[in-house]
mmCIF file of all heavy atoms in Angstrom:
data_model
loop_
_atom_site.group_PDB
_atom_site.id
_atom_site.type_symbol
_atom_site.label_atom_id
_atom_site.label_comp_id
_atom_site.label_asym_id
_atom_site.label_seq_id
_atom_site.Cartn_x
_atom_site.Cartn_y
_atom_site.Cartn_z
ATOM 1 N N ALA A 1381 31.801 -72.498 -35.305
ATOM 2 C CA ALA A 1381 31.261 -73.844 -35.634
ATOM 3 C C ALA A 1381 32.327 -74.604 -36.561
ATOM 4 O O ALA A 1381 32.082 -74.831 -37.776
ATOM 5 C CB ALA A 1381 29.918 -73.849 -36.309
ATOM 6 N N ASN A 1382 33.513 -74.838 -36.022
ATOM 7 C CA ASN A 1382 34.550 -75.507 -36.935
ATOM 8 C C ASN A 1382 35.035 -76.804 -36.281
ATOM 9 O O ASN A 1382 35.957 -77.447 -36.835
ATOM 10 C CB ASN A 1382 35.687 -74.503 -37.184
ATOM 11 C CG ASN A 1382 36.234 -73.921 -35.878
ATOM 12 O OD1 ASN A 1382 36.471 -74.731 -34.928
ATOM 13 N ND2 ASN A 1382 36.371 -72.683 -35.674
ATOM 14 N N ASP A 1383 34.491 -77.304 -35.315
ATOM 15 C CA ASP A 1383 34.921 -78.527 -34.731
ATOM 16 C C ASP A 1383 34.587 -79.709 -35.527
ATOM 17 O O ASP A 1383 35.168 -80.740 -35.426
ATOM 18 C CB ASP A 1383 34.442 -78.787 -33.212
ATOM 19 C CG ASP A 1383 32.989 -78.487 -33.025
ATOM 20 O OD1 ASP A 1383 32.324 -78.038 -34.028
ATOM 21 O OD2 ASP A 1383 32.650 -78.650 -31.807
ATOM 22 N N PHE A 1384 33.628 -79.526 -36.616
ATOM 23 C CA PHE A 1384 33.436 -80.724 -37.467
ATOM 24 C C PHE A 1384 34.664 -81.057 -38.279
ATOM 25 O O PHE A 1384 34.746 -82.178 -38.788
ATOM 26 C CB PHE A 1384 32.210 -80.296 -38.372
ATOM 27 C CG PHE A 1384 32.501 -79.284 -39.390
ATOM 28 C CD1 PHE A 1384 33.077 -79.616 -40.641
ATOM 29 C CD2 PHE A 1384 32.263 -77.932 -39.095
ATOM 30 C CE1 PHE A 1384 33.307 -78.671 -41.623
ATOM 31 C CE2 PHE A 1384 32.612 -76.903 -40.041
ATOM 32 C CZ PHE A 1384 33.053 -77.312 -41.291
ATOM 33 N N VAL A 1385 35.561 -79.937 -38.539
ATOM 34 C CA VAL A 1385 36.727 -80.238 -39.357
ATOM 35 C C VAL A 1385 37.463 -81.452 -38.855
ATOM 36 O O VAL A 1385 37.857 -82.339 -39.786
ATOM 37 C CB VAL A 1385 37.530 -78.945 -39.464
ATOM 38 C CG1 VAL A 1385 38.827 -79.269 -40.137
ATOM 39 C CG2 VAL A 1385 36.816 -77.785 -39.984
ATOM 40 N N HIS A 1386 37.648 -81.549 -37.591
ATOM 41 C CA HIS A 1386 38.489 -82.641 -37.065
ATOM 42 C C HIS A 1386 37.546 -83.739 -36.447
ATOM 43 O O HIS A 1386 38.205 -84.597 -35.761
ATOM 44 C CB HIS A 1386 39.484 -82.125 -36.034
ATOM 45 C CG HIS A 1386 40.368 -81.094 -36.612
ATOM 46 N ND1 HIS A 1386 41.340 -81.396 -37.638
ATOM 47 C CD2 HIS A 1386 40.424 -79.805 -36.505
ATOM 48 C CE1 HIS A 1386 41.956 -80.289 -37.990
ATOM 49 N NE2 HIS A 1386 41.409 -79.268 -37.259
ATOM 50 N N HIS A 1387 36.270 -83.749 -36.695
ATOM 51 C CA HIS A 1387 35.478 -84.760 -36.022
ATOM 52 C C HIS A 1387 35.661 -86.156 -36.648
ATOM 53 O O HIS A 1387 35.765 -86.280 -37.917
ATOM 54 C CB HIS A 1387 33.932 -84.306 -36.288
ATOM 55 C CG HIS A 1387 33.082 -85.002 -35.149
ATOM 56 N ND1 HIS A 1387 32.666 -86.352 -35.327
ATOM 57 C CD2 HIS A 1387 32.460 -84.517 -34.098
ATOM 58 C CE1 HIS A 1387 31.846 -86.564 -34.344
ATOM 59 N NE2 HIS A 1387 31.820 -85.524 -33.572
ATOM 60 N N GLU A 1388 35.792 -87.123 -35.736
ATOM 61 C CA GLU A 1388 35.970 -88.432 -36.180
ATOM 62 C C GLU A 1388 34.926 -89.121 -37.074
ATOM 63 O O GLU A 1388 35.222 -89.904 -37.933
ATOM 64 C CB GLU A 1388 36.388 -89.343 -34.990
ATOM 65 C CG GLU A 1388 35.197 -89.490 -34.066
ATOM 66 C CD GLU A 1388 35.643 -90.315 -32.822
ATOM 67 O OE1 GLU A 1388 36.880 -90.426 -32.479
ATOM 68 O OE2 GLU A 1388 34.537 -90.741 -32.148
ATOM 69 N N GLU A 1389 33.750 -88.644 -37.029
ATOM 70 C CA GLU A 1389 32.752 -89.194 -37.852
ATOM 71 C C GLU A 1389 32.386 -88.350 -39.072
ATOM 72 O O GLU A 1389 31.509 -88.549 -39.821
ATOM 73 C CB GLU A 1389 31.389 -89.311 -37.030
ATOM 74 C CG GLU A 1389 31.515 -90.324 -35.965
ATOM 75 C CD GLU A 1389 30.254 -90.395 -35.112
ATOM 76 O OE1 GLU A 1389 29.135 -89.804 -35.550
ATOM 77 O OE2 GLU A 1389 30.323 -90.989 -34.001
ATOM 78 N N ARG A 1390 33.330 -87.375 -39.291
ATOM 79 C CA ARG A 1390 33.150 -86.583 -40.487
ATOM 80 C C ARG A 1390 33.106 -87.395 -41.687
ATOM 81 O O ARG A 1390 34.032 -88.256 -41.951
ATOM 82 C CB ARG A 1390 34.257 -85.490 -40.492
ATOM 83 C CG ARG A 1390 34.048 -84.572 -41.641
ATOM 84 C CD ARG A 1390 35.042 -83.504 -41.829
ATOM 85 N NE ARG A 1390 34.941 -82.722 -43.063
ATOM 86 C CZ ARG A 1390 35.862 -81.837 -43.396
ATOM 87 N NH1 ARG A 1390 36.847 -81.623 -42.831
ATOM 88 N NH2 ARG A 1390 35.648 -81.269 -44.608
ATOM 89 N N LEU A 1391 32.271 -87.218 -42.837
ATOM 90 C CA LEU A 1391 32.307 -87.884 -43.926
ATOM 91 C C LEU A 1391 33.375 -87.242 -44.935
ATOM 92 O O LEU A 1391 33.347 -86.063 -45.050
ATOM 93 C CB LEU A 1391 30.934 -87.790 -44.735
ATOM 94 C CG LEU A 1391 29.794 -88.439 -44.004
ATOM 95 C CD1 LEU A 1391 28.502 -88.313 -44.920
ATOM 96 C CD2 LEU A 1391 30.069 -89.920 -43.681
ATOM 97 N N THR A 1392 34.236 -88.131 -45.545
ATOM 98 C CA THR A 1392 35.194 -87.545 -46.461
ATOM 99 C C THR A 1392 35.004 -88.122 -47.833
ATOM 100 O O THR A 1392 35.674 -87.588 -48.759
ATOM 101 C CB THR A 1392 36.601 -87.940 -45.899
ATOM 102 O OG1 THR A 1392 36.707 -89.391 -45.746
ATOM 103 C CG2 THR A 1392 36.950 -87.186 -44.725
ATOM 104 N N THR A 1393 34.062 -89.038 -48.072
ATOM 105 C CA THR A 1393 33.791 -89.447 -49.373
ATOM 106 C C THR A 1393 32.211 -89.624 -49.540
ATOM 107 O O THR A 1393 31.630 -89.768 -48.407
ATOM 108 C CB THR A 1393 34.356 -90.808 -49.838
ATOM 109 O OG1 THR A 1393 33.711 -91.828 -49.026
ATOM 110 C CG2 THR A 1393 35.827 -90.810 -49.587
ATOM 111 N N PRO A 1394 31.638 -89.651 -50.643
ATOM 112 C CA PRO A 1394 30.197 -89.942 -50.722
ATOM 113 C C PRO A 1394 30.061 -91.359 -50.358
ATOM 114 O O PRO A 1394 30.861 -92.407 -50.368
ATOM 115 C CB PRO A 1394 29.889 -89.811 -52.186
ATOM 116 C CG PRO A 1394 31.071 -89.013 -52.807
ATOM 117 C CD PRO A 1394 32.225 -89.354 -51.966
#
Side-chain angles (χ1 to χ4, degrees):
Chain A
N1382 51 50
D1383 46 0
F1384 70 87
V1385 175
H1386 302 290
H1387 199 283
E1388 57 183 26
E1389 289 176 18
R1390 179 180 174 185
L1391 296 182
T1392 52
T1393 68

